[in-house]
């Protein structure tokens, strides 16, 4: 179970790094208020309304100026710098690091007393040494 959890977390972290560094563009074509087509890798296909408007010509200038179709492009850029710069820390970050370090160091305090709590109790009586009897020794 521990190996599976370790491997799955490693894969998840690799996918997160991949997607945060990857840039991509989404092209969308709207006809009025409805989405006609979207594409991730190439330009989105149009609905064909632009061809009809260009064939009408210059007789109706209102129709060519106010097109109901629109193209939108959503650009998502990834990170280029993966190594964070820790030379300039804010006051809040410095306070957090100081508090965390202080609490972590004081978490592991040793005991100064050298008392052995089981010293007053008698040792168990051993009839025979089982390890020698069965010839099993820990190496």
């Amino acid at each position: 179970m521990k190996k599976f959890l370790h491997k799955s977390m490693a894969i998840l972290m690799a996918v997160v790094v991949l997607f945060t560094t990857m840039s991509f563009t989404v092209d969308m074509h709207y006809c009025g208020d409805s989405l006609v087509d979207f594409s991730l890798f190439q330009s989105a296909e149009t609905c064909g309304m632009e061809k009809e408007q260009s064939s009408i010509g210059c007789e109706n200038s209102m129709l060519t100026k106010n097109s109901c179709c629109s193209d939108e492009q959503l650009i998502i850029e990834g990170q280029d710098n993966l190594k964070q710069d820790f030379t300039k820390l804010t006051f809040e970050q410095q306070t957090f690091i100081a508090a965390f370090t202080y609490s972590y160091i004081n978490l592991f305090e040793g005991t100064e007393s050298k008392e052995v709590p089981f010293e007053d109790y008698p040792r168990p009586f051993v009839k025979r040494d089982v390890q020698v009897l069965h010839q099993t020794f820990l190496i």
Side-chain angles (χ1 to χ4, degrees):
M1 181 68 179
K2 186 177 179 181
K3 284 185 180 180
F4 174 73
L5 183 65
H6 183 69
K7 287 182 181 181
S8 62
M9 288 300 291
I11 290 171
L12 178 70
M13 289 169 54
V15 168
V16 167
V17 168
L18 175 73
F19 282 119
T20 57
T21 58
M22 186 173 68
S23 300
F24 60 94
T25 304
V26 178
D27 287 331
M28 297 175 284
H29 180 76
Y30 287 96
C31 200
D33 289 334
S34 63
L35 177 66
V36 175
D37 190 28
F38 73 97
S39 178
L40 291 173
F41 302 110
Q42 57 189 358
S43 61
E45 294 181 11
T46 61
C47 59
M49 297 275 294
E50 291 86 12
K51 293 177 185 175
E52 290 178 15
Q53 290 176 359
S54 63
S55 65
I56 291 174
C58 295
E59 302 94 42
N60 195 353
S61 62
M62 292 281 292
L63 189 62
T64 57
K65 287 182 183 175
N66 298 330
S67 176
C68 67
C69 296
S70 63
D71 291 323
E72 288 187 19
Q73 193 175 37
L74 178 67
I75 300 171
I76 299 175
E77 295 189 18
Q79 292 179 346
D80 290 334
N81 186 10
L82 292 179
K83 187 175 180 181
Q84 296 294 328
D85 187 21
F86 292 111
T87 57
K88 299 177 183 175
L89 295 176
T90 64
F91 179 70
E92 290 84 15
Q93 291 171 338
Q94 291 175 358
T95 306
F96 174 75
I97 290 173
F100 179 76
T101 305
Y102 179 76
S103 64
Y104 188 76
I105 289 172
N106 289 334
L107 183 65
F108 302 108
E109 289 184 1
T111 58
E112 303 223 357
S113 66
K114 297 192 178 195
E115 293 180 16
V116 180
F118 54 86
E119 191 173 89
D120 296 335
Y121 298 106
R123 294 189 174 109
F125 177 70
V126 180
K127 272 186 173 173
R128 358 179 194 157
D129 197 2
V130 178
Q131 293 158 339
V132 174
L133 180 67
H134 295 291
Q135 296 293 315
T136 56
F137 303 103
L138 293 176
I139 297 175

